[in-house]
Structures are given as structure tokens and as C-alpha cells.
Amino acid sequence: MAPVSDQLDRYPTRLSEPAPHIERTDPTVWGQVTSPELIGFDANGFATIPDLLTPDEVAAFGAEVGHLAADPVLYGDERVIVEPVAGQVRSVFQVHQLSKPIAELVAESRIAGLAEQILGSPVYLHQTRVNYMPGFGGSGFGWHSDFETWHAEDGMPTPRAVSLSIALTDNYPFNGSLMLMPGSHRTFVPCLGETPSGHYRESLREQRIGVPTTDDVTFLAARYGITQFTGRAGSALLFDSNMMHGSSNNITPFPRSNIFLVFNSVENALVEPFAAPQRRPHHIAARDFTPLREVSAEAGAVLADQAP
């Protein structure tokens, strides 16, 4: 087993014995919130942004991610995850490198700027993907905290990261839309079980290690309650990395898909994993910590140089 991080671990997890929940001491909002939609982020751990994309953009990006899911060249690529039962595409990772329109979108101030307000620093992309939940076959995601995995398996020191989920289809209460526990970002739940080698290959299809127990979920639900992200295509959900969330299966005819972007503070760069034998691949946990705005500026300069 490769050595794990020698940095102080304030969020121990993947334990052999149950341990008490850890009340968070790190801030939720590190910067200055200027967008009205983000006012309640500190208390709730999430915020909804209606109409982040226009209807024309929804149509364009919907077509773009549809092409990715149907691209035969990508089948067999490790970046493509298929449904464990239905066999349809579940997720496509590193989507900003597979799609120029998405790469251009993520650096825009209306997108990256939301994360910068919360995290109080320049940000980089820890992970990007498109999630698909087809009708009559889309499987859900069990209750979990993303930070638990990113800490244990990627070496993310603190929960100074946020996820932005941009809806490309209408999110109804009945088609597997995301459920959240408001305020649960303030409680870290240590999980049981040693991380197997190459765990990501199974966990991206169905996660069994690094998940809370039913007692944990029952306690958190009683303490914080459960709400749901619903809204029309083009709306978005920004949420804290330690938010307890999950979704149910989609047994309706209405598919659900979203662009999922994870922004991490450049001041929270990954170290060695805290509870895993090796790092996860770059397409799942990027280790290029160059601020996103600088990457965008460099790409723009290259395009300008290439112009006739």
C-alpha cells in the first residue's frame, strides 16, 4: 500500500470502528457573497440559481451532451461510466476536455464567479462530468458526502470546494432529482471500511465504501430535514462539498441530465490520499491546480495567435 498523506487529518474516515460525527470548524463561506442567490449559502450549504442558462443554451448544451453519450469512440473509455443494470451511459467525466463549448462555459464569471465568491480565492476544476439519468432505467445515488470521498481517496485537505449542477432537463420531484439535507454540511460523518485498490471503478457505478450508515442518515435527517432540488432546465444548484445528498431511481418516462462542475480553492490543493492506497486518476481528481481564469486566458491567447 502506498503511503497516505502525512498532513494532519482533521476529518478521519474509512475507519474499522464507528466514530462520533465531527462538527465542522472550517468556514462555509470564505469570501464575500455579492450574488443575491447565494445569501443563504452559509446557513443551508447550498443555493439555487434559476435560469443560469438561457433556453437557447439549454438546447445547445443538451445536444452537445447527447452527442457525447452517443459517441462510439468514447465507449470503452475509462471516462465513461455505464448504468450497473440498464447498461446506458451514467456519467462522462472530464467533459470540459471533451467539449469546447463546455470548456468555454465553465470559465465564465457567471459560472466560476459563483464558486469564487464562496471559496474566497481563485479556483480550479477538481472534476467535471455530465450525469445522465435516463427514463425507465436511471439508477440513483445513495446518501453520501462528496468531501468524504475527495478527502479519503483524493487527498483534499478541507471542505473548501463546491459543486455546481446545471440542469439540462426539467427536474421534477419524481424523476430522480437531487435530495439534500440543509445544514448537514456542518457535520462530517466518518465512514467505515478500508478503501480497496482501484475502488473508483466500482464506486462510480454503485458506492458501498465511504457511505454513511442508516443510523447516520436517520440522525441527520431528524436534525436537518430533507429538501429537494427541482426546477426547469437551465436552473442550477450550487452546494458545499460536505453536503449530505442523494437521489432515487428514475422510473418515469422523463430523463434527467446535468452538467456537474466541481470547483476547489487553489489554497486547498490535493495532497496524498488520507485513506486510500493510491490516487484516483486525473480525469476524476485533477492535480493541475492552475487557476481556472489563467487557463482560460492562456487558451484565449492561443486561439488569438491562430486566427488568420
Side-chain angles (χ1 to χ4, degrees):
M1 178 181 289
V4 296
S5 175
D6 58 3
Q7 184 167 319
L8 175 65
D9 186 358
R10 295 191 290 112
Y11 296 96
T13 188
R14 309 291 170 97
L15 308 175
S16 58
E17 299 290 339
H21 295 172
I22 298 171
E23 295 306 308
R24 175 176 179 161
T25 56
D26 286 296
T28 301
V29 175
W30 298 70
Q32 183 176 2
V33 170
T34 57
S35 297
E37 299 92 344
L38 303 184
I39 295 300
F41 194 94
D42 186 60
N44 296 323
F46 70 91
T48 57
I49 303 95
D51 303 319
L52 184 63
L53 300 185
T54 67
D56 286 345
E57 287 175 322
V58 168
F61 285 112
E64 182 77 4
V65 302
H67 293 324
L68 289 175
D71 188 347
V73 175
L74 288 177
Y75 274 77
D77 191 303
E78 198 173 37
R79 292 172 292 186
V80 177
I81 310 300
V82 299
E83 289 282 358
V85 177
Q88 296 171 285
V89 173
R90 177 179 176 90
S91 301
V92 176
F93 282 80
Q94 216 171 35
V95 70
H96 68 296
Q97 293 191 10
L98 296 171
S99 166
K100 182 181 176 182
I102 293 178
E104 294 172 344
L105 174 71
V106 298
E108 291 186 20
S109 59
R110 61 171 167 158
I111 306 295
L114 295 171
E116 290 168 342
Q117 289 180 53
I118 298 299
L119 302 181
S121 73
V123 298
Y124 73 94
L125 287 169
H126 171 71
Q127 181 187 106
T128 69
R129 65 181 188 265
V130 174
N131 289 330
Y132 304 86
M133 185 174 279
F136 300 122
S139 55
F141 294 84
W143 289 105
H144 66 286
S145 152
D146 290 327
F147 174 66
E148 192 280 339
T149 293
W150 299 339
H151 182 71
E153 300 188 37
D154 299 334
M156 185 178 287
T158 67
R160 193 175 177 180
V162 292
S163 297
L164 181 68
S165 175
I166 306 174
L168 297 179
T169 52
D170 292 341
N171 280 237
Y172 302 109
F174 44 75
N175 69 336
S177 59
L178 203 66
M179 295 180 288
L180 312 100
M181 297 186 183
S184 62
H185 63 296
R186 297 190 178 278
T187 301
F188 179 79
V189 179
C191 296
L192 299 175
E194 183 176 341
T195 309
S197 179
H199 178 238
Y200 70 92
R201 292 187 177 90
E202 295 300 322
S203 65
L204 296 178
R205 291 160 57 90
E206 183 179 6
Q207 187 171 358
R208 297 181 180 179
I209 303 294
V211 294
T213 66
T214 54
D215 286 344
D216 290 326
V217 173
T218 300
F219 173 83
L220 292 177
R223 181 179 183 182
Y224 295 115
I226 297 174
T227 190
Q228 195 170 27
F229 170 59
T230 58
R232 63 187 178 188
S235 58
L237 172 72
L238 184 75
F239 62 99
D240 183 88
S241 59
N242 191 48
M243 170 64 60
M244 191 62 67
H245 63 288
S247 61
S248 56
N249 296 344
N250 183 11
I251 61 173
T252 76
F254 307 107
R256 184 174 72 85
S257 62
N258 65 298
I259 299 174
F260 194 88
L261 310 171
V262 180
F263 300 95
N264 190 25
S265 167
V266 297
E267 298 172 8
N268 192 40
L270 307 185
V271 295
E272 292 303 316
F274 286 90
Q278 67 270 127
R279 299 175 176 182
R280 295 197 298 175
H282 183 77
H283 68 270
I284 300 174
R287 289 182 178 268
D288 179 357
F289 310 129
T290 306
L292 184 57
R293 305 283 192 157
E294 292 182 17
V295 173
S296 176
E298 290 173 3
V302 169
L303 290 174
D305 290 341
Q306 294 175 345

